[in-house]
Amino acid sequence: MNAVSKTVRLQAQSPWRRVAVEFMSSPTAVIGLLVLLIIVLIAVLAPWIVVQNPYDLMQLNVLDARLAPGSANMDTGYTYWLGTDGQGRDLVSAIMYGLRISLWVGIGSALIAAVIGTLLGLVSAYVGGWLDALLMRLVDLLLSFPVILMALMILAWLGKGVGNVMLTLILLEWAYYARTARGQALTESRREYVDAARGQGIGPWRIVVGHILPNCLPPLIVIGALQIARAITLEATLSFLGLGVPVTEPSLGLLIANGFQYMLSNEYWISLFPGLALLITIVAINLVGDRLRDVLNPRLQR
Amino acid sequence: MIGWTVRRLTQSMLVILLMTLVVFIGLNAIGNPMDILVGEDLNQAERLQAIAHLGLDKPLWQQYLLFLQGAIHGNLGQSFVYHEDAMRLILQRLPATFELAFSALFLAVVIGVPLGMFAGTYPDHPLSRLMMASSIVGFSLPAFWVALMMIMLFSIKLGWLPASGRGATRELLGVQWSWLTLDGLQHLLLPALNLALFKISLVLRLTRAGVREVLPQEFVKFARAKGLSPMRVMCMHVMRNTMIPVVTVLAMELGSTIAYAVVTESIFSWPGAGKLILDSINTLDRPVVVAYLMVVVVIFVVLNLIVDGLYYLLDPRVRVEASR
């Protein structure tokens, strides 16, 4: 144990430690990370900190519908800090629950797509031949059409719903990971350490998973961060268009859509605040993603 | 050149063929194509007649060939809702979408290029930093939300610009256009600006990167040393060399602009193909959905072909690679 920590110190720093230190050297990225952590915390803890469950119709009072920010609840007297929506939902609670859906859909689909895409990319690189050609043509085809078009196409066949939105995101996103993982794996497989592992008689799967995959991770992590932001935007857009979540359980996109009809009568808050929450989330993720790209990109390393 | 053209054309045809296959499988995999193509409000005799008429009693591969034959002739069935030829319905709405998309690209160039040139020339100027920071926000902003905020600010609070519809139109070449009338232009501005936001950020960053790459080069120094005015150096020498990536990226972005017009059109009630497809998805008007997808796929493939062709003509390196 002592010897191990000594070698670590001798090598100055472990690579992940170096990444962490470099990441922290950018104040904007640190702020982005902090904001993101707070948002995730809010989303996870939402059921315990909200004043009402926005998806439980029994707890909603239609008489409280469309109250301006700062109004008081008729019965219990607590303040609707951000106002209420058309069904009398407290917007603070609705936004917290909306964040849950956004993050769940965004992170969930990005993770599943990452696993599938990375695996297919590695297989493609390792097996080669017609399988490689077929998979990569499929990736080219998927990536050459805009995401929203493909999403409309898939949702037109599958029907509406959160599950289908996630499935759509996975069907679209795996291609990014597959292309990157394949490219990275092809470069890595020519390195000496792979030859050394082969020389030791290690089986092909252990080489791929144990030796090549860890070295493919940095670019995949960057893509993952940016894909989460894209997935959240796309979910919000599709829900806004009425193709995502059900009306009784609005996500941020649907809250904004519902607020649209009241905007003409100057009741701006129903659309404004969920949109701000969405914007802050996406900007935070993008700031973190941008910094990760700078830190993890070997070409930019001094 | 001929060999390259033939190869690219074949590839494009293959992509279109593949997409017809995907759409056809989608049509058959989910639900009974009978319900999708004919509708449910028919009696038994009519149903059998329709099945025979549409060839649904034939084996699948023959059905696919029939579908393909229909697609080639532009016959993809009747809309359930409008009781019109689905393809014609799409083609009627397409000019409005094109108008919106091209206006957005125009705005992206007119706003993005000058800003990008400034940010590239003075990278440390506070305004440039502000531009770069706001371009990150521009990439992050959910377009549909910005659209609502624009409507709220410019239409409801300030009352400057109308929030929905195309306004007055005038006919040119047999098609109605909004940009030919003042009222139409007013209606066009907000949706076009909304659709352009992302592209403005993109063009700004591309131009800035290009200018920063070109400025330190020898020929710029030489032009300056010749005593040319800074304005002339920027416009003639720097801009020309930064515009190639901007133009090609924008050409490729046209396709995605048309696709994203779905969102903008539905918010601003712009009567284009995007709004039609969204309504059709919601009313399960599948023939229209199929027709839209096929039309957009063809537009896309043709656009890619044009961009590749431009590259081939403009960039000698591609030509060398292709002739190998």
Side-chain angles (χ1 to χ4, degrees), chain A residues 10 13 19 29-30 42 56 61 69 88 117 138 155 158 165 175 199 219 231 270:
Chain A
L10 277 178
Q13 278 166 347
V19 166
V30 173
I42 289 177
D56 183 1
N61 187 349
L138 190 61
L155 283 176
L158 292 183
V165 169
I270 309 173

Side-chain angles (χ1 to χ4, degrees), chain A residues 141 144 146 149 153 156-157 160 237 240-241 243 256 260 263 266 268 271-272 275-276 278-279 282-283 286, chain B residues 15 18-19 27 30 140-142 144-145 148-149 152 156-157 259 263 266-267 278 281-282 286 293 296 300:
Chain A
L141 192 68
S144 64
L149 182 72
M153 197 160 158
W157 299 137
K160 309 169 187 181
T237 308
F240 175 81
L241 295 175
L243 301 172
I256 296 169
F260 188 26
M263 243 171 50
N266 243 332
Y268 61 89
S271 286
L272 178 69
L276 280 179
L278 191 61
L279 177 65
I282 297 168
V283 170
N286 278 345
Chain B
V15 169
L18 199 64
M19 288 312 265
L27 216 88
I30 290 103
S140 306
L141 281 171
F144 67 94
W145 182 68
L148 296 197
M149 294 303 116
M152 189 153 81
I156 299 173
K157 295 265 182 208
V263 182
S266 82
I267 296 171
L278 207 64
I281 289 179
N282 278 322
R286 292 244 158 88
L293 291 177
V296 174
F300 245 82

Side-chain angles (χ1 to χ4, degrees), chain B residues 204-234:
Chain B
L204 193 159
R205 286 182 160 239
L206 277 175
T207 314
R208 176 178 175 275
V211 169
R212 292 197 67 183
E213 202 174 295
V214 170
L215 270 186
Q217 287 188 21
E218 300 291 326
F219 69 87
V220 178
K221 281 183 203 154
F222 179 68
R224 284 215 186 103
K226 268 202 305 190
L228 296 183
S229 72
M231 197 64 195
R232 204 175 149 76
V233 174
M234 280 313 275

